[in-house]
């Protein structure tokens, strides 16, 4: 929760994100990462699936009932040649933004706040 991507979301460790009836973020396709806990219990990629060593896992979702069980893992990493990559880990990220359109509140959801933070960071602005 202390990562810059979560600034202003009011999310705390262990909170759930993106599973309200109008903000379901995991529907049919996600990005899975093979990970194991570090000494503090936080997930870190094993690299066995090609995930970059510097991939910082920000959030996870266990997917035990999917055809190929795995773990969706939102994260961020720096490219070797410069640049930052943010991975929402889902094709349904926009579902978390739809509620904002309906209410007229641009930061109605944590998904929208994270999106704002990522865009600001990649534009070189503080979140």
């Amino acid at each position: 929760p202390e990562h810059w991507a979560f600034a202003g979301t009011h999310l705390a460790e262990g909170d759930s994100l993106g599973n309200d009836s109008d903000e379901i973020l995991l529907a049919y396709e996600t990005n899975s990462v093979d990970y194991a806990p570090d000494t503090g219990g936080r997930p870190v990629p094993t690299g066995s699936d090609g995930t970059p060593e510097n991939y910082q896992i920000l959030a996870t979702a266990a997917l035990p009932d999917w055809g190929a069980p795995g773990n969706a893992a939102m994260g961020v990493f720096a490219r070797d040649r410069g640049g930052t990559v943010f991975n929402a880990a889902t094709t349904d990220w926009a579902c978390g933004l739809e509620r904002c359109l309906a209410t007229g509140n641009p930061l109605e959801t944590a998904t929208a706040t994270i999106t704002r933070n990522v865009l600001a960071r990649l534009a070189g602005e503080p979140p």
Side-chain angles (χ1 to χ4, degrees):
E2 61 276 353
H3 191 272
W4 57 260
F6 297 124
T9 64
H10 306 292
L11 290 170
E13 181 107 15
D15 281 355
S16 182
L17 165 68
N19 61 356
D20 291 340
S21 62
D22 57 353
E23 189 192 11
I24 297 174
L25 299 180
L26 300 176
Y28 71 94
E29 187 173 339
T30 68
N31 182 48
S32 182
V33 171
D34 186 25
Y35 63 81
D38 66 8
T39 57
R42 293 190 183 243
V44 293
T46 65
S48 67
D49 56 2
T51 301
E53 288 181 18
N54 67 348
Y55 190 87
Q56 183 181 7
I57 296 174
L58 303 178
T60 63
L63 307 171
D65 299 330
W66 288 34
N71 299 292
M74 175 194 300
V76 63
F77 68 98
R79 301 258 325 187
D80 292 339
R81 294 167 291 197
T84 299
V85 176
F86 173 81
N87 176 14
T90 178
T91 57
D92 287 307
W93 190 257
C95 293
L97 303 175
E98 286 180 327
R99 186 166 75 194
C100 302
L101 296 174
T103 64
N105 179 353
L107 298 177
E108 174 74 17
T109 63
T111 308
T113 301
I114 293 167
T115 301
R116 180 189 57 82
N117 292 343
V118 169
L119 293 175
R121 180 67 164 232
L122 296 181
E125 302 168 7

